[in-house]
Amino acid sequence: MRRRAAGVAMLGLGLDRATSVPLYRQLYDAIRTAILAARLRPGARLPSTRALAVELGSSRNTVLAAFQQLLAEGYLEGRVGAGTSVARALPEAFLQSRPAPARPARAGRPPRLSRRGARLLASPLSGRAATEPRPFRPGVPAYDAFPFELWARLVARRWRRVPRQLLDYGEPAGYRPLREAIATYLREARAVRCEAEQVIVVTGSQQAVDLAARVLLDPGDPAWIEDPGYPGARGALAAAGVRLVPVPVDDEGLDVMAGAAVARQARLVYVTPSHQYPLGTTMSLNRRLALLEWAGRVGAWVLEDDYDSEYRYRGRPLAALQGLDAAGRVIYVGTFSKVLFPALRIGYLVVPTALVDAFVAARALADRHSPSVMQAVLADFLAEGHFARHIRHTRALYAERQAALVTAARRALAGVLAVAPADAGMHVVGWLGPGRDDRAAARAAAAAGVEAPPLSTYRLRPSRRGGLLLGYAAYPPPALREGVERLAAALGL
């Protein structure tokens, strides 16, 4: 005997014509809820669409639309001659897994990592939490000055007419029009000698350093690094098993003679010649020529990180070290994280022609390529002149913000923290008096609600004088002045 179909009363169905929810959707929701609540069990037969429409006082099309949706999603099944019934296997059974029974945690040995894994874990950047920027975190651009509406229009335009090749796997070297735009910009603004074929798009300067270490260095190879210097580069090289050779920095930049005295046959040198990170000095022409002469003589590679060279406030922009290189020993690194916004995750390498194939292969193995549509949007941003306008605007804005910070610091921090203006960049260094612990000062600042990283964390060798890094680019003058007051209170003023 056939099972009698459930009726409206049994299902508790009803339609509310006073709401804006379509009738078919109300019916769909009611039947699905009855199924999930087990008021309708697997295999239970439903009334015919015609009969149910009569009981509900609705059109048959309303019932048909609800049934079709339930059939498409797998809640109902229909068989010729047998009507429509509840599916014997509901879709939730395929979408939800049963949790395994909880087991008591066992105290045991920590997991065994590879040597590289252990070095990665010890990296200065590992485990850094993403929090809202607050004065004086360095390296953060002015989000309040970014042209978000313009960027949104460029993104929308790309998605409206996105070609299929941008949805497929892209070139590991990067989207060709973006590489061409970057090459044009570097030739005009930074005096970099390059063609688009030498430009490789990466996910930021951090990946650029990591790729260079993978391609050019073996574990145990000596590499010069600036001391103090950028922790991200230090971590990437250390993770590759490279022997780090700290080289001091003075008013002329990296001390080439000091580096040669310690490790004459180093395989690579990481350097920030246009605006040394974190001290802010500029490498002199004599030091640049000496570095290139040494690299050519011993066959070393020079990794030039030009991370924020767009922001120079006095004099003409400085030419890149790469433009002086006649022997093809310089690998140039740039990023859009500092000038646009970090979440974009697009940077670039300019490599000598002989290294292009090796770097492209390494890029393909790392993560194939950066998001193609964002690369296309950035290419439009550069080619249409928006990037140049943004740089001009933010250069003037950052000069104003630096002046506000220095003025406030000189007034409120005199005698405790010496803060002088800088010719370039997005941060200044505040120097503490001799014997004062900059790590303790940074902890006190953090407790007062401001971030001022200690200079000692950027060093491999101890120094007799500590300092604090004070970023200003992301913060309007009122926020900078308030931050200075907080810092003054933290330092005992």
Side-chain angles (χ1 to χ4, degrees):
M1 181 181 297
R2 283 187 179 179
R3 185 180 301 173
R4 184 172 178 271
V8 171
M10 182 185 297
L11 298 178
L13 302 180
L15 301 179
D16 184 358
R17 290 170 172 79
T19 72
S20 61
V21 180
L23 296 180
Y24 87 90
R25 183 70 196 190
Q26 294 182 43
L27 181 58
Y28 160 88
D29 288 336
I31 296 176
R32 181 177 178 273
T33 299
I35 291 172
L36 295 178
R39 294 198 303 274
L40 280 174
R41 296 188 175 277
R45 190 163 68 87
L46 270 69
S48 69
T49 56
R50 193 181 305 278
L52 192 52
V54 170
E55 288 192 67
L56 291 170
S58 68
S59 71
R60 189 184 177 202
N61 287 339
T62 296
V63 181
L64 281 171
F67 273 36
Q68 287 168 359
Q69 185 69 28
L70 291 161
L71 286 163
E73 294 182 9
Y75 291 101
L76 300 180
E77 55 189 19
R79 295 187 301 277
V80 177
T84 303
S85 59
V86 177
R88 286 168 174 78
L90 300 180
E92 276 71 15
F94 302 101
L95 298 175
Q96 299 176 358
S97 60
R98 294 181 179 177
R103 296 181 179 180
R106 294 182 179 180
R109 297 178 180 176
R112 181 180 178 184
L113 302 176
S114 68
R115 292 178 182 174
R116 183 177 179 86
R119 291 192 293 265
L120 287 169
L121 183 61
S123 165
L125 299 185
S126 65
R128 185 168 63 181
T131 57
E132 185 73 18
R134 56 182 180 173
F136 302 95
R137 183 186 299 178
V140 183
Y143 300 136
D144 59 329
F146 187 75
F148 287 107
E149 291 185 5
L150 168 63
W151 185 266
R153 289 198 299 270
L154 296 177
V155 172
R157 185 177 70 186
R158 275 290 174 180
W159 278 115
R160 278 197 302 270
R161 298 192 298 270
V162 60
R164 289 189 177 182
Q165 58 265 33
L166 286 181
L167 301 178
D168 203 349
Y169 290 108
E171 294 183 56
Y175 180 58
R176 176 72 189 199
L178 176 58
R179 296 163 65 199
E180 292 172 348
I182 291 172
T184 299
Y185 165 72
L186 292 176
R187 287 193 297 265
E188 295 174 353
R190 304 294 301 123
V192 172
R193 298 190 295 180
C194 68
E195 300 299 330
E197 288 75 16
Q198 296 172 257
V199 177
I200 299 171
V201 178
V202 293
T203 58
S205 57
Q206 191 67 36
Q207 185 181 55
V209 177
D210 182 69
L211 290 179
R214 293 170 185 263
V215 172
L216 301 175
L217 301 173
D218 291 316
D221 282 347
W224 294 2
I225 59 168
E226 298 169 321
D227 191 28
Y230 175 49
R234 186 174 77 207
L237 294 171
V242 174
R243 180 166 66 87
L244 300 179
V245 179
V247 179
V249 176
D250 59 23
D251 291 342
E252 292 190 72
L254 183 83
D255 189 337
V256 180
M257 291 184 63
V262 178
R264 183 174 297 275
Q265 300 299 319
R267 293 278 296 133
L268 180 142
V269 53
Y270 171 85
V271 65
T272 53
S274 295
H275 183 235
Q276 200 278 332
Y277 193 88
L279 296 182
T281 58
T282 299
M283 182 178 278
S284 68
L285 179 59
N286 286 339
R287 289 276 178 88
R288 291 174 185 236
L289 295 176
L291 178 60
L292 293 174
E293 189 277 331
W294 165 82
R297 178 161 38 85
V298 305
W301 298 103
V302 178
L303 194 59
E304 177 184 10
D305 189 345
D306 211 17
Y307 63 99
D308 68 355
S309 60
E310 288 82 3
Y311 297 118
R312 186 164 187 82
Y313 312 117
R314 296 176 182 86
R316 294 177 58 83
L318 298 175
L321 175 67
Q322 192 265 8
L324 299 173
D325 176 30
R329 307 306 303 178
V330 177
I331 298 157
Y332 182 88
V333 177
T335 180
F336 292 100
S337 294
K338 299 293 188 295
V339 294
L340 298 182
F341 52 92
L344 184 60
R345 304 313 307 139
I346 295 181
Y348 51 88
L349 285 155
V350 177
V351 303
T353 303
L355 293 177
V356 169
D357 289 345
F359 270 85
V360 171
R363 177 70 175 99
L365 287 173
D367 62 351
R368 188 59 184 257
H369 61 81
S370 297
S372 297
V373 175
M374 284 297 100
Q375 290 188 69
V377 172
L378 181 55
D380 296 340
F381 194 74
L382 269 74
E384 296 173 13
H386 308 304
F387 180 75
R389 284 191 292 274
H390 179 64
I391 294 300
R392 288 194 296 269
H393 172 58
T394 49
R395 185 183 291 128
L397 181 69
Y398 293 176
E400 174 191 341
R401 292 181 174 184
Q402 185 195 117
L405 170 60
V406 172
T407 299
R410 284 177 169 174
R411 184 181 62 252
L413 297 168
V416 174
L417 195 70
V419 180
D423 291 342
M426 299 165 63
H427 72 269
V428 293
V429 177
W431 293 98
L432 291 163
R436 183 135 190 188
D437 185 353
D438 60 5
R439 294 180 187 247
R443 289 193 295 271
V450 294
E451 297 183 45
L455 187 58
S456 59
T457 60
Y458 297 84
R459 297 185 183 276
L460 282 178
R461 292 176 175 171
S463 174
R464 286 178 292 181
R465 191 175 186 188
L468 301 175
L469 263 65
L470 305 175
Y472 53 81
Y475 317 106
L480 292 170
R481 288 190 284 268
E482 180 185 352
V484 167
E485 295 297 330
R486 288 175 177 266
L487 182 58
L491 298 181
L493 291 175

